[in-house]
Coordinates of all heavy atoms in Angstrom, one line a residue:
Y34 N 97.2 113.0 72.9 CA 97.6 114.3 72.5 C 97.1 114.7 71.1 O 96.6 115.8 70.9 CB 99.1 114.5 72.5 CG 99.7 114.6 73.9 CD1 100.5 113.5 74.4 CD2 99.5 115.7 74.7 CE1 101.0 113.6 75.7 CE2 100.0 115.8 76.0 CZ 100.7 114.7 76.5 OH 101.2 114.8 77.7
Q35 N 97.1 113.7 70.2 CA 96.6 114.0 68.8 C 95.1 114.2 68.9 O 94.6 115.1 68.2 CB 96.9 112.8 67.9 CG 96.7 113.1 66.5 CD 97.3 112.0 65.6 OE1 97.4 110.8 66.0 NE2 97.7 112.4 64.4
G36 N 94.4 113.5 69.7 CA 92.9 113.7 69.8 C 92.6 115.1 70.4 O 91.7 115.7 70.0
A37 N 93.5 115.6 71.3 CA 93.2 116.9 71.9 C 93.7 118.0 71.1 O 93.1 119.1 71.1 CB 93.9 116.9 73.3
L38 N 94.8 117.8 70.4 CA 95.5 119.0 69.7 C 95.4 118.9 68.2 O 95.6 119.9 67.5 CB 97.0 119.0 70.1 CG 97.2 119.2 71.6 CD1 98.7 119.1 71.9 CD2 96.7 120.5 72.1
G39 N 95.0 117.8 67.7 CA 94.9 117.6 66.2 C 96.2 118.0 65.5 O 97.2 117.5 65.8
D40 N 96.0 118.8 64.5 CA 97.2 119.2 63.6 C 98.2 120.1 64.3 O 99.2 120.4 63.8 CB 96.7 119.9 62.3 CG 96.0 118.9 61.4 OD1 96.2 117.7 61.5 OD2 95.2 119.3 60.6
D41 N 97.8 120.6 65.5 CA 98.8 121.4 66.3 C 99.8 120.6 67.0 O 100.8 121.2 67.6 CB 98.0 122.3 67.3 CG 97.2 123.4 66.6 OD1 97.5 123.8 65.5 OD2 96.2 123.8 67.2
L42 N 99.7 119.3 67.0 CA 100.7 118.5 67.7 C 101.9 118.3 66.8 O 101.8 118.0 65.6 CB 100.1 117.1 68.0 CG 101.0 116.1 68.6 CD1 101.5 116.5 70.0 CD2 100.3 114.7 68.7
G43 N 103.1 118.4 67.4 CA 104.3 118.1 66.7 C 105.2 117.3 67.7 O 105.1 117.4 68.9
E110 N 103.7 110.1 60.4 CA 104.7 111.1 60.4 C 105.1 111.5 61.8 O 106.2 112.0 62.1 CB 104.3 112.4 59.6 CG 103.1 113.1 60.2 CD 102.6 114.2 59.3 OE1 102.4 114.0 58.1 OE2 102.5 115.3 59.8
L111 N 104.2 111.4 62.8 CA 104.5 111.8 64.2 C 105.5 110.8 64.8 O 106.2 111.2 65.7 CB 103.2 111.8 65.0 CG 102.3 112.9 64.7 CD1 101.0 112.8 65.5 CD2 102.9 114.3 64.9

Side-chain angles (χ1 to χ4, degrees):
Y34 286 112
Q35 194 169 26
L38 302 172
D40 291 338
D41 290 337
L42 177 64
E110 65 185 52
L111 293 174

